[in-house]
Amino acid sequence: MIEFRDLYKAFGANRVLEGFTLEVRDGETMVIIGYSGTGKSVAIKHVVGLLEPDAGQVAVDGQVVAELSRAALTGLRATIGFVFQFAALFDSMTIFDNVALGLRRRPGISEGDIASRVAEALALVDLAGTERLMPAELSGGMRKRVGLARAIALKPRYLLYDEPTTGLDPVTSAVIDQLIVRTREALGVTSVVITHDMRSAYTVGDRIAMLYRGRIRQVGTVAEIRATADPVVRQFIEGRPDGGRAAERASLSQTGQELGLEGVDA
Amino acid sequence: MVTSLGRRSIGLVTGFGQFGRFLGNVARALPDVRTWGGLTAQQMRRLGVDSLPIALFIAAFTGIVLALLASYVMTGAVPPYLVGTLVTKTITMELGPVLTGLALAGRVGANIAAELGTMRVTEQVDALETLAYNPYAFLVIPRVLAGLVMFPVVVAFAMGMGIFTGWLTATNLLPITNAEFMRGARLFFMPFDVWYGLLKSASFGFVITLIGCHLGLATRGGAEGVGRATTRTVVYSAEMILVLDAYWAVTLLRGHFQ
Ligand SMILES: Nc1ncnc2c1ncn2[C@@H]1O[C@H](COP(=O)(O)OP(=O)(O)OP(=O)(O)O)[C@@H](O)[C@H]1O
Ligand SMILES: [Mg+2]
């Protein structure tokens, strides 16, 4: 279980998370949606201790991440797969080494096992045979899928996907969605998926949470979100240029400027 | 004026604070031999291959100039074989280490800062951490150890090259025979000279790679940030080389004078 408890995080004057609270239950896939720049990536980076909260906590299996010792944090990280929004492949290493790196960390796993796990993970993202290439030789979408393979190869207990399908063609997106669903069925993994793509959100999610202005605006099952009465959430899931958010913005624009929020969702 | 001075000194103090924290993280990563052990050899090879050509190039020309300069300065006043003395002493004790160090601050230091800076802004460092690696063990220690070990090796080659071209110049362009040059080189030779030059080189290698790693990992803000980290690495490294050079002279040479 991953719990975000009343999380606050600011970068200088830019207050990103303000009372972010969310519970991800064991075995479920939680989708987080929200406008660009609202802090979705910032929120999940707290789960693996890449960022520390200004206030509040993130707990994984009851362990508060920011309070863990270095060794305990390393142990926790070994159980979590993280798919970065921009892949974050090691550009001085081959695709094989990129995917193998995390596995090499595991005690008692032979090079032969590593090679087969890497091949298996690459096949899952439809990139079999790219082992010897360098990241620079791949397209953006291919790199993204290598990032996915790198996380899945670890067979972790938790998987955090930061926009796994953004920038992929519709068919590849659907393949990745399927992969997320299948990974969950095969490994029983607990996942958080950040996405803008509502079709993908409905396919992979058990529940959907919308992050808005630093906190969760609404969280519910796919059916509940699809039937939402909240105008802000409605506008987002329907992708309309005007709606609840525009109306709210007009009334809040004064406050928004004082809070330095203008331009955040430009 | 005063406020800008104040701001700069605050910047300096926080800068040292960050560097101190960086050193602490590096020290804590030292027991993780399993991670850095295998990577160090690779970094050593890379550093050697990267820096040897430029070091030899610089040393070759320094040797030529030194021989001519020595003979010009001492014409008539002292026996010509002292050209051999001057060339060997200056190359081993001062110009070999310092000129190589300055050149490698640009080559190796900038390289490290750009590489780690890019890894930082493209989240590769974060990715390493999520894969349960300690970036200080994985990235920093191999590079710093490589600097510590390989700088003296590279400088040793540079010393050889400088003395060789100095000898070549003296015996071909100057009225100095091979025997005279050799006599001068041997006359005042002390093993200490070589150790002194190599120790200095090791300290330069240590400091350049540390600064490059620190500023690289501390990079913020895209390509521009990487550029800034790179330039600052070269500037700080060059300054530190000159400071260290003076430090070693004061601590190790003064005793011999008295
Ligand atoms: N390391 C950082 N330093 C300073 N500011 C940051 C940092 N990381 C994120 N921010 C800021 O935090 C805000 C939220 O960023 P974040 O990347 O979480 O957005 P997001 O919801 O993931 O958006 P997108 O959907 O576009 O990926 C942005 O205003 C961003 O500028
Ligand atoms: Mg993001």
Side-chain angles (χ1 to χ4, degrees):
Chain A
M1 188 153 82
I2 303 173
E3 295 157 273
F4 300 87
R5 302 175 186 147
D6 203 20
L7 207 59
Y8 283 78
K9 181 70 181 178
F11 298 98
N14 179 11
R15 284 187 280 174
V16 179
L17 298 179
E18 297 184 281
F20 179 86
T21 300
L22 183 67
E23 198 181 290
V24 184
R25 298 175 197 143
D26 279 335
E28 80 170 333
T29 299
M30 170 67 81
V31 172
I32 301 180
I33 56 175
Y35 291 99
S36 189
T38 46
K40 304 182 296 296
S41 299
V42 167
I44 61 164
K45 281 181 184 169
H46 284 85
V47 178
V48 282
L50 291 175
L51 292 172
E52 290 201 0
D54 298 336
Q57 326 176 303
V58 178
V60 181
D61 295 336
Q63 311 175 72
V64 176
V65 177
E67 291 169 5
L68 294 176
S69 68
R70 178 123 213 153
L73 181 60
T74 305
L76 175 67
R77 282 169 171 168
T79 68
I80 301 178
F82 196 111
V83 181
F84 283 83
Q85 186 169 357
F86 304 103
L89 301 185
F90 306 112
D91 43 33
S92 61
M93 297 180 199
T94 61
I95 299 305
F96 179 89
D97 286 331
N98 263 281
V99 181
L101 195 67
L103 293 169
R104 295 223 164 93
R105 201 71 184 154
R106 298 286 162 89
I109 176 164
S110 72
E111 269 302 312
D113 291 344
I114 291 178
S116 61
R117 291 268 287 266
V118 171
E120 186 191 344
L122 285 173
L124 278 176
V125 295
D126 203 16
L127 284 175
T130 55
E131 280 93 337
R132 290 161 166 280
L133 298 179
M134 300 301 281
E137 297 175 87
L138 302 187
S139 75
M142 290 163 95
R143 261 179 259 164
K144 195 136 196 181
R145 285 183 278 151
V146 176
L148 214 63
R150 184 169 69 183
I152 293 175
L154 300 170
K155 305 207 165 132
R157 284 201 295 124
Y158 293 96
L159 269 165
L160 312 177
Y161 303 88
D162 197 345
E163 303 196 10
T165 56
T166 306
L168 301 182
D169 63 79
V171 175
T172 311
S173 294
V175 170
I176 298 296
D177 288 345
Q178 237 175 43
L179 178 68
I180 294 174
V181 172
R182 262 190 288 139
T183 307
R184 185 187 111 172
E185 282 162 3
L187 304 178
V189 39
T190 307
S191 328
V192 178
V193 180
I194 293 177
T195 188
H196 290 136
D197 174 357
M198 289 317 298
R199 202 185 60 172
S200 158
Y202 297 146
T203 313
V204 304
D206 296 308
R207 290 196 297 155
I208 298 178
M210 176 159 178
L211 175 59
Y212 185 71
R213 293 195 191 280
R215 51 174 67 215
I216 293 298
R217 177 82 184 199
Q218 187 185 3
V219 52
T221 62
V222 170
E224 281 164 2
I225 293 292
R226 289 186 101 143
T228 184
D230 184 323
V232 171
V233 181
R234 265 249 77 77
Q235 188 196 350
F236 187 89
I237 63 176
E238 287 171 4
R240 279 184 287 109
D242 46 20
R245 175 159 160 268
E248 180 173 283
R249 250 184 120 183
S251 69
L252 281 179
S253 72
Q254 196 62 37
T255 354
Q257 270 163 14
E258 281 159 20
L259 291 172
L261 281 171
E262 91 260 64
V264 165
D265 8 288
Chain B
M1 171 64 195
V2 172
T3 51
S4 108
L5 212 67
R7 207 166 321 130
R8 283 193 55 174
S9 31
I10 289 171
L12 203 68
V13 170
T14 52
F16 273 112
Q18 279 160 5
F19 191 61
R21 231 177 356 256
F22 166 79
L23 289 180
N25 284 329
V26 176
R28 266 193 299 281
L30 271 174
D32 193 0
V33 185
R34 200 164 66 94
T35 302
W36 57 259
L39 296 166
T40 305
Q42 184 189 333
Q43 290 299 329
M44 283 169 60
R45 216 166 23 246
R46 222 178 101 184
L47 197 149
V49 171
D50 275 359
S51 31
L52 209 51
I54 183 173
L56 292 179
F57 180 84
I58 291 173
F61 285 89
T62 311
I64 297 173
V65 173
L66 266 183
L68 294 167
L69 199 67
S71 94
Y72 168 80
V73 170
M74 303 196 294
T75 311
V78 290
Y81 63 78
L82 281 179
V83 168
T85 313
L86 205 102
V87 167
T88 46
K89 286 256 177 194
T90 321
I91 290 272
T92 45
M93 297 182 71
E94 184 62 25
L95 292 183
V98 172
L99 290 183
T100 308
L102 289 174
L104 295 194
R107 187 79 179 83
V108 175
N111 210 328
I112 290 176
E115 188 183 7
L116 299 199
T118 305
M119 290 185 74
R120 168 58 82 194
V121 300
T122 56
E123 297 187 319
Q124 292 176 51
V125 179
D126 288 347
L128 262 184
E129 288 198 64
T130 63
L131 293 176
Y133 282 87
N134 177 339
Y136 295 92
F138 194 86
L139 298 172
V140 177
I141 292 177
R143 285 171 173 76
V144 174
L145 281 183
L148 191 67
V149 174
M150 288 309 284
F151 264 53
V153 174
V154 171
V155 170
F157 279 102
M159 289 174 179
M161 173 61 100
I163 292 170
F164 172 69
T165 56
W167 168 83
L168 215 59
T169 310
T171 51
N172 286 295
L173 300 182
L174 298 170
I176 296 169
T177 65
N178 177 30
E180 280 172 330
F181 187 94
M182 288 306 183
R183 182 171 165 222
R186 285 212 195 93
L187 193 57
F188 295 100
F189 175 80
M190 282 189 285
F192 167 80
D193 301 353
V194 178
W195 287 122
Y196 176 77
L198 294 181
L199 172 73
K200 270 201 327 200
S201 311
S203 73
F204 297 163
F206 185 64
V207 165
I208 291 172
T209 48
L210 265 186
I211 293 177
C213 287
H214 169 53
L215 295 180
L217 286 183
T219 302
R220 295 277 172 276
E224 195 191 334
V226 175
R228 211 162 354 161
T230 310
T231 333
R232 284 170 63 200
T233 297
V234 176
V235 173
Y236 291 163
S237 301
E239 287 171 359
M240 277 311 294
I241 285 173
L242 299 176
V243 169
L244 276 173
D245 193 32
Y247 169 80
W248 290 123
V250 169
T251 51
L252 295 179
L253 294 187
R254 212 174 43 162
H256 287 250
F257 181 72
Q258 281 160 355

